[in-house]
Amino acid sequence: MAALAPIEAAKRLAAYAAVDRHVKREHKVIGVGSGSTVPFVVERIREKGGNEGRVFVPTGFQSQELIVQAGLTLGDVSQYPKIDVTIDGADEVDSNLNSIKGGGACQLREKVLAEAAETWVMVADYRKNSETLGDNWHQGIPIEVAPFAYVAVLRKLAELGSPTDRAESTVAGAHGAVLTLRMGKAKAGPVVSDNGNFIVDAPFPREMMQRPAELLTKIKLLTGVVEVGLFCGLAKAAYFGNADGSVTARLADGTTETVKAE
Ligand SMILES: O=C(CO)[C@H](O)[C@H](O)COP(=O)(O)O
């Protein structure tokens, strides 16, 4: 196995453990998530026999390319609305398996594939393993918004409690992060999702982040919001690769196990 930088090695450990445990021979429709951990999921699936009469459904452009380049059979969620297992990354996971997703602006398709899956599991390195959402992921909850409505949605999010001022954010336990329209890095102007929408990053006070399902409902009800990067009550498990070479599995029944990739 190729030597990797420690964080990359941790991502690979998590991905391999999740594939070994959840992708069974009888599974024919597999959802493939987005981000920098998911390529290790595809790598492991290929190592273990790849296609085998299977179809792979992507959560966006990146995972579509990954599936095609790996020589796997590409499917679409409109052809395969029932998925056996979807494995995806996460920006942060709390002690109840709620998560923040959308660091790569893919949360809408990611949530559709999470909900379509009989089993949805997350894979991440140890930095994503938190007690409360927002403790490690400081930039806020990624929210996909209809472009024409973004100013109105920003105003509503501020009314809901997302800070627009650094000092106010720090006092509220939101780490100084403020409500922001996500801007492109090598592009002038905003990030545009695979669905043609804008992304707003909305931090919230720690007290509100401790009740993510409640916050999710409030944000989702704002007109102009397409999808919220809070995933609550969906995961069967989360796998975190650790710096010491072990993998921590957090399961939906509240238990935690240490597992090793085969
Ligand atoms: O939600 C996502 C993209 O929208 C990703 O799954 C999330 O950002 C995790 O990515 P990485 O594996 O690179 O940490």
Side-chain angles (χ1 to χ4, degrees):
M1 211 186 278
L4 294 173
I7 294 291
E8 295 307 300
K11 292 176 187 178
R12 181 164 67 184
L13 283 168
Y16 278 32
V19 171
D20 292 351
R21 209 178 246 204
H22 294 281
V23 181
K24 307 282 182 210
R25 193 163 287 280
E26 63 271 23
H27 290 157
K28 296 301 177 202
V29 184
I30 314 289
V32 179
S34 311
S36 59
T37 313
V38 164
F40 297 116
V41 170
V42 173
E43 181 178 282
R44 186 58 161 176
I45 288 172
R46 277 189 77 193
E47 253 182 41
K48 297 190 84 178
N51 258 353
E52 289 178 354
R54 287 180 175 144
V55 170
F56 295 83
V57 181
T59 52
F61 180 84
Q62 180 229 350
S63 45
Q64 179 176 308
E65 293 285 288
L66 206 56
I67 292 165
V68 170
Q69 278 162 20
L72 302 174
T73 304
L74 185 67
D76 190 87
V77 72
S78 52
Q79 292 167 286
Y80 300 98
K82 273 183 76 177
I83 295 174
D84 291 311
V85 55
T86 295
I87 304 183
D88 203 344
D91 297 307
E92 191 171 21
V93 183
D94 76 8
S95 50
N96 296 312
L97 285 188
N98 301 305
S99 58
I100 294 180
K101 290 184 49 57
C106 300
Q107 66 269 33
L108 170 59
R109 292 181 190 218
E110 289 174 335
K111 200 175 276 187
V112 170
L113 264 67
E115 291 178 353
E118 174 69 27
T119 300
W120 183 61
V121 299
M122 295 177 281
V123 288
D125 64 76
Y126 54 89
R127 299 171 303 172
K128 316 294 183 73
N129 187 355
S130 273
E131 188 62 32
T132 298
L133 296 178
D135 283 354
N136 293 321
W137 179 260
H138 294 171
Q139 73 186 54
I141 301 166
I143 303 171
E144 184 157 352
V145 174
F148 79 92
Y150 93 89
V151 176
V153 172
L154 284 174
R155 191 169 66 83
K156 291 284 181 196
L157 287 167
E159 281 171 17
L160 261 190
S162 186
T164 54
D165 171 88
R166 277 195 171 281
E168 174 206 337
S169 164
T170 305
V171 170
H175 307 277
V178 294
L179 183 59
T180 315
L181 174 66
R182 193 183 295 177
M183 302 306 278
K185 289 264 161 60
K187 171 202 180 263
V191 166
V192 177
S193 75
D194 287 347
N195 318 300
N197 296 314
F198 289 174
I199 305 294
V200 166
D201 290 299
F204 279 91
R206 191 168 195 275
E207 204 194 324
M208 293 177 83
M209 296 300 284
Q210 284 168 332
R211 297 189 303 281
E214 207 176 288
L215 185 55
L216 165 60
T217 305
K218 286 183 177 157
I219 301 172
K220 185 108 188 217
L221 282 173
L222 301 179
T223 304
V225 166
V226 178
E227 193 47 79
V228 185
L230 278 174
F231 286 50
C232 302
L234 290 172
K236 292 258 165 59
Y239 292 81
F240 303 98
N242 297 316
D244 66 1
S246 67
V247 176
T248 299
R250 188 175 292 157
L251 309 177
D253 65 7
T255 60
T256 298
E257 292 173 12
T258 302
V259 288
K260 272 256 171 226
E262 279 164 21

